[in-house]
């Protein structure tokens, strides 16, 4: 194609993208194929997600810890959630089918994502005394969640609880759910599980921060609350 390219991304997914997006940073893309189609593929993918892989942490980690110890600025960390990571492996449509056709496989993959995250950060994250952690989990469309609240409770809540327990045990008090789209039906779940904030609360996805504040009070912090589309102008 003159204006498009087909390529394999860093996770092994085959994609069709514009070579030069009309608006840099706002990318339209199509996924053609995903790397995990069955348990055999998942076992191969797990080889790439080993906590002790050399290079995951810089050689001068101790120096970095010392540098950040007496800081006068906010320090955060971003991690991928189980929904986001498994969706990257299998694709959203395939994941939705697996929820019904092979729920045990979905739970196995999501549990592994949580295990990997905890093992990777264990004995490291407490050194930094982080002010907050973002959990990247985009799982909502413009008007609703991508999966039902019931499915969130069944498949994701156990993993979120494990992550939150781990982070709190390592002195991280502020845990922010990073989720685009309309999140009105998800916020009550996140509050109950112990998340302390949500981000970015997209205005373009019919989120109303004033209405949420009236409904949920100060039980969860709201970050963002702008129309991100406006950022493309300047």
């Amino acid at each position: 194609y003159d204006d498009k390219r087909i390529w394999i991304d860093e996770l092994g997914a085959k994609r069709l993208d514009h070579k030069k997006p009309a608006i840099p940073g706002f990318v339209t893309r199509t996924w053609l194929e995903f790397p995990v189609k069955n348990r055999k593929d998942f076992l191969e993918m797990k080889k790439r997600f080993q906590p002790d892989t050399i290079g995951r942490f810089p050689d001068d980690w101790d120096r970095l810890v010392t540098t950040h110890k007496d800081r006068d600025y906010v320090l955060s960390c971003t991690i991928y959630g189980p929904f986001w990571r498994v969706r990257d492996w299998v694709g959203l449509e395939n994941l939705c089918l697996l929820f019904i056709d092979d729920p045990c496989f979905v739970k196995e993959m999501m549990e592994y994502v949580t295990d990997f995250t905890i093992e990777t950060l264990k004995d490291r994250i407490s050194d930094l005394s982080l002010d907050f952690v973002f959990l990247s989990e985009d799982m909502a469309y413009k008007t609703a969640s991508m999966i039902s609240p019931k499915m969130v409770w069944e498949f994701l809540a156990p993993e979120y609880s494990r992550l939150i327990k781990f982070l709190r045990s390592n002195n991280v008090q502020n845990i922010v759910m990073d989720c685009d789209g309309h999140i009105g039906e998800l916020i009550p779940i996140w509050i109950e599980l112990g998340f302390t904030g949500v981000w970015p609360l997209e205005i373009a996805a019919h989120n109303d921060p004033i209405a949420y504040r009236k409904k949920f009070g100060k039980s969860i912090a709201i970050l963002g609350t702008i129309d991100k589309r406006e950022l493309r102008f300047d």
Side-chain angles (χ1 to χ4, degrees):
Y1 302 99
D2 292 336
D3 63 335
K4 297 182 177 67
R5 61 171 182 160
I6 293 177
W7 62 294
I8 306 295
D9 69 14
E10 67 278 4
L11 286 176
K14 183 184 291 185
R15 290 167 44 176
L16 173 66
D17 291 1
H18 286 275
K19 291 180 180 177
K20 296 181 179 179
I23 304 174
F26 287 76
V27 182
T28 300
R29 71 202 81 156
T30 301
W31 276 268
L32 305 176
E33 188 177 351
F34 291 91
V36 175
K37 302 177 182 64
N38 48 50
R39 274 191 169 80
K40 181 180 177 181
D41 294 336
F42 173 52
L43 292 176
E44 286 299 312
M45 183 61 74
K46 285 170 68 173
K47 295 177 182 178
R48 300 179 57 187
F49 285 81
Q50 297 299 318
D52 57 353
T53 298
I54 295 175
R56 288 209 180 278
F57 289 88
D59 294 335
D60 61 345
W61 177 257
D62 292 338
R63 182 190 64 80
L64 290 172
V65 169
T66 300
T67 300
H68 291 305
K69 186 174 182 181
D70 297 319
R71 62 183 181 272
D72 58 356
Y73 48 86
V74 173
L75 186 65
S76 68
C77 168
T78 298
I79 59 179
Y80 285 100
F83 183 87
W84 182 312
R85 182 58 78 196
V86 174
R87 181 191 56 204
D88 278 351
W89 288 344
V90 306
L92 177 58
E93 183 177 346
N94 295 328
L95 177 56
C96 289
L97 292 171
L98 285 171
F99 278 128
I100 304 301
D101 296 336
D102 199 346
C104 290
F105 184 32
V106 174
K107 290 178 181 178
E108 180 182 345
M109 289 190 287
M110 290 188 170
E111 183 177 339
Y112 185 79
V113 172
T114 304
D115 289 341
F116 166 77
T117 302
I118 290 174
E119 287 300 312
T120 300
L121 297 177
K122 188 175 65 175
D123 302 324
R124 298 276 191 173
I125 195 169
S126 60
D127 296 341
L128 294 172
S129 299
L130 293 171
D131 295 290
F132 63 93
V133 166
F134 275 120
L135 183 70
S136 295
E137 195 71 320
D138 289 352
M139 55 183 300
Y141 287 118
K142 191 171 183 177
T143 59
S145 171
M146 290 178 177
I147 62 175
S148 70
K150 181 180 178 181
M151 283 182 166
V152 174
W153 278 114
E154 179 180 356
F155 292 93
L156 294 169
E159 307 311 319
Y160 294 156
S161 295
R162 287 208 294 144
L163 284 169
I164 289 172
K165 181 179 180 181
F166 165 74
L167 292 170
R168 292 266 157 74
S169 68
N170 283 273
N171 303 317
V172 179
Q173 298 304 313
N174 298 307
I175 305 166
V176 180
M177 174 61 79
D178 173 5
C179 182
D180 290 349
H182 185 80
I183 59 174
E185 59 192 330
L186 296 173
I187 293 176
I189 301 175
W190 297 335
I191 291 174
E192 188 167 341
L193 290 173
F195 287 93
T196 54
V198 293
W199 155 273
L201 205 82
E202 283 190 284
I203 299 303
H206 309 293
N207 291 297
D208 185 340
I210 304 301
Y212 288 161
R213 177 60 72 225
K214 290 179 179 178
K215 183 175 182 179
F216 302 116
K218 295 184 178 180
S219 55
I220 195 163
I222 298 175
L223 294 78
T225 74
I226 63 172
D227 187 342
K228 295 195 294 182
R229 296 170 299 182
E230 295 300 315
L231 299 177
R232 72 188 188 276
F233 296 116
D234 197 346

